[in-house]
Amino acid sequence: MNSQEFRRRGNEMVEYICQYLETLEDRKVTPSVEPGYLRHLLPDEAPYHGEDWDRIMEDVESKIMPGVTHWQHPRFHAYFPSGNSFPSILGDMLSDGIGCIGFSWAASPACTELETIVLDWLGRAIGLPDDFLALKAGSKGGGVIQTSASECVLVTMLAARAQAIKHLKQQHPFVEEGHLLSKLMAYCSKEAHSCVEKAAMICFVKLRILEPDSKCSLRGNTLTKAMEEDELQGLVPFFVSTTLGTTGSCSFDALEEIGVALQRFPGVWLHVDAAYAGNAFICPELKYLLKGIEYADSFNTNPNKWLLTNFDCSTLWVRDRIRLTSALVVDPLYLKHGYSDAAIDYRHWGVPLSRRFRSLKLWFVLRSYGISGLQNYIRHHIELAKRFEQLVNKDKRFEICNEVKLGLVCFRLIGSDKLNEKFLSGINASAKIHMVPASVNDQYVIRFCAVAQNATEDDIG
Amino acid sequence: MNSQEFRRRGNEMVEYICQYLETLEDRKVTPSVEPGYLRHLLPDEAPYHGEDWDRIMEDVESKIMPGVTHWQHPRFHAYFPSGNSFPSILGDMLSDGIGCIGFSWAASPACTELETIVLDWLGRAIGLPDDFLALKAGSKGGGVIQTSASECVLVTMLAARAQAIKHLKQQHPFVEEGHLLSKLMAYCSKEAHSCVEKAAMICFVKLRILEPDSKCSLRGNTLTKAMEEDELQGLVPFFVSTTLGTTGSCSFDALEEIGVALQRFPGVWLHVDAAYAGNAFICPELKYLLKGIEYADSFNTNPNKWLLTNFDCSTLWVRDRIRLTSALVVDPLYLKHGYSDAAIDYRHWGVPLSRRFRSLKLWFVLRSYGISGLQNYIRHHIELAKRFEQLVNKDKRFEICNEVKLGLVCFRLIGSDKLNEKFLSGINASAKIHMVPASVNDQYVIRFCAVAQNATEDDIG
């Protein structure tokens, strides 16, 4: 395809996307296909000769779309939102057009610098302390875009691990590192995202999963007690992952309590995973939910969830970028450049070496909507959730199972888990609405999340 | 921005991308900016009110572009190619429009199934044994798209680590796992990509970096000797990462020799990193370079390097998908679905939970170019490299430093490393051509890589 044809096909794709999104509610939310459906529709091997574009797009509509779960559908209320907006799509288009790989500053200076600046913009907008911003005078911190919250949790745990091992090594220079590693203990709540468990598996460290209180919030004294017990056993607490806005029920760990408690355990890394809820802190009236952030070493939120930015765009800030990167630096000659010492090289901030120009889409979203536009979007979703909560409360057959602070409502039929499973299965089988379950206080609940950018009250009525 | 405006802005962006790529050679290849240039051009914080799209795009041209290293420029010869093509851009546009997150089969069946099918297509096209294809009867293998080759190496090392620890645990049930971990030894050549070292740091395992032969190829007996020495020391070899097409000089480890040698070390995982060169195996005349693949447990190549597909698209195949995923499975209720047992859930194949619909762009590329079109593209780059090699050979001041099998030529001025450094700095300072150095046989060499899709002989003359 040459640029002349791309002019035509690009415009057709723009039109296809518009029509897809404009008529989405005519489609079923979820597909009615069984595993293996697509292999019966596509050939076993790639074509030898190139095919005409029209044929390819026909297959998109006739073969791919019937197997798509429509995350942008106004009646998709599962998981959390998958960020999407026109300015964000334009940002990805431009990133693809430029097609640069920003692993080091020199590999494309604008790619690195815009990321640093836009992360400062967003960090400031959601109310992070100045220490987390790269361009504040005297700050040692900064932000980076990662592929996913899983990666944010992993790299901060890796940094904490490196720091803890280094410290232990000074105290016990002749002990084998594997033995030191076996002493390390990380902590999170039972309500933390499964990625904390995955990160601990990868880091090969023990993870103690703690019971939250009845509001699904991890409390400071629960943590302190566990850490003291473990220290008595000769173990070394090194990392705590807290959550603001859990996946199950959008509950909030008692960050301030935990931060205060950790003062007695110097050197323990405090991470805050606010993948969903963190985006909401862009609203002044919700910033109280961030209380305690002054104790944290790192913080992540996903604009690709709730800030109208397409996946992948998971933003991570750290208070001390040297502590982060020291766990990940490897430096061969073919990646060195004249400014290696003076500039940020984001390849040391995460697992992958190569990186897209992801800050473009976030920059486009922040500028095109402005902070006020994004606040309105967040507030609209919260209103929809509140409205849904009211509707549930009016119906005596149901009960609400979480404190509805943001866009997620957990509810259930009063009765057994089995009854609720059957009820949810029936709803999902209709393919008119899509929701997923969670376990809250060991009960099966149904999660309703406000998701679509332009959903109205009718979509939730 | 509503869809009406997106129709207009989308078309403008298509036009911007076309003009950017059509007039790229009028721009300097590399920017002449210093670290921090952009912070002086952009405000300190995000705008409160949304801005007009035209203003944003003005800033793209006046503030971003002056800081971009133009990887698609016809005279960009640094690193390896950053894959790009119009069908691939269209695939990303569609992926963004759909905006689904395919962490499990149920989260969007087409997203998972197309990935499996397209990876079978590509695996077959480059000549992988049937064991690596998911849809072959009796096969336990399959392919997956990862974010980067770094992630491919990391997850295979994690899988090998899990397998080795499980095995050791059976032999020594009462030994602390950290101690078992400290016995594990991974291997690679000095010429392997730095991501192997990073993966070993993350996995917390020892890595023995071996000397290749004079052609920068790791040999079977070098590996055997090292592994035997280590076993005598009580260490446990568990993972070997070989490279087909090294970053420094596109050299090839002696895969078949290594595979044969490893027969004496059952249980050691053999990975093949062919991030760049693997794409070339789509040409029948180059498949001989894959010899020995029948011994491998896993293989990765990056279509986002040399197969006209935009980053990120790093393809990994394994011979045994259960062995891969068993290192990474965590399974909370909110991610379970009715087909959890029958279908592939790609979240267990890598670090991130969430994933884009990345197979669309690879599918578009494979269909739009066809295998023959991709072969022509690869062959064209190899011809350009051969032509460049001839030009260097004609000039007595220079010498060629690698065996030019694919698109990479390593050369140097006959003389000191310092002289070559100065020479390369001069070239790069001109901003007319861009190349990067590497160290080959402990000598500073200059890498020339054929990169641009439509580069002609004039661009290298």
Side-chain angles (χ1 to χ4, degrees), chain A residues 3 7 11 15 22 36 48 51 59 67 71 92 96 107 110 113 161 198 201 311 347 350 356 367 372, chain B residues 3 7 11 15 22 36 48 51 59 67 71 92 96 107 110 113 161 198 201 311 347 350 356 367 372:
Chain A
S3 58
R7 283 185 165 86
N11 292 352
E15 183 57 33
E22 285 165 355
Y48 182 70
E51 294 182 74
D59 281 355
W71 282 61
D92 259 350
D96 271 353
E113 298 206 10
R161 186 185 74 174
K198 200 179 206 176
M201 282 168 70
F311 187 86
R347 72 177 183 277
R356 279 167 80 89
R367 292 189 63 177
S372 60
Chain B
S3 58
R7 282 184 166 87
N11 291 352
E15 183 57 32
E22 285 165 353
Y48 182 71
E51 295 182 73
D59 281 354
W71 283 61
D92 259 350
D96 270 353
E113 297 206 9
R161 186 185 74 174
K198 200 179 206 175
M201 282 169 70
F311 188 86
R347 72 177 182 278
R356 279 167 81 89
R367 292 189 63 177
S372 59

Side-chain angles (χ1 to χ4, degrees), chain A residues 71-191:
Chain A
W71 282 61
Q72 307 303 323
H73 197 290
R75 290 187 305 278
F76 178 95
H77 301 296
Y79 316 109
F80 279 131
S82 166
N84 204 343
S85 69
F86 295 121
S88 173
I89 296 175
L90 291 167
D92 259 350
M93 285 169 68
L94 182 58
S95 165
D96 271 353
I98 294 174
C100 70
I101 301 289
F103 42 70
S104 67
W105 180 86
S108 208
C111 180
T112 295
E113 298 206 10
L114 187 64
E115 187 161 330
T116 307
I117 292 167
V118 168
L119 272 274
D120 266 21
W121 281 14
L122 182 60
R124 188 197 278 245
I126 60 180
L128 294 183
D130 283 354
D131 291 357
F132 288 94
L133 309 181
L135 303 176
K136 274 280 163 182
S139 160
K140 294 188 290 180
V144 60
I145 300 177
Q146 307 281 22
T147 302
S148 66
S150 304
E151 200 183 342
C152 296
V153 171
L154 173 61
V155 299
T156 52
M157 196 185 282
L158 283 168
R161 186 185 74 174
Q163 172 184 294
I165 292 287
K166 189 178 162 191
H167 185 69
L168 284 175
K169 199 83 193 148
Q170 283 162 352
Q171 296 177 308
H172 310 283
F174 303 112
V175 178
E176 162 64 55
E177 288 195 359
H179 184 70
L180 299 178
L181 183 68
S182 71
K183 298 294 174 196
L184 298 188
M185 183 65 91
Y187 301 83
C188 70
S189 159
K190 202 177 75 181
E191 294 297 319

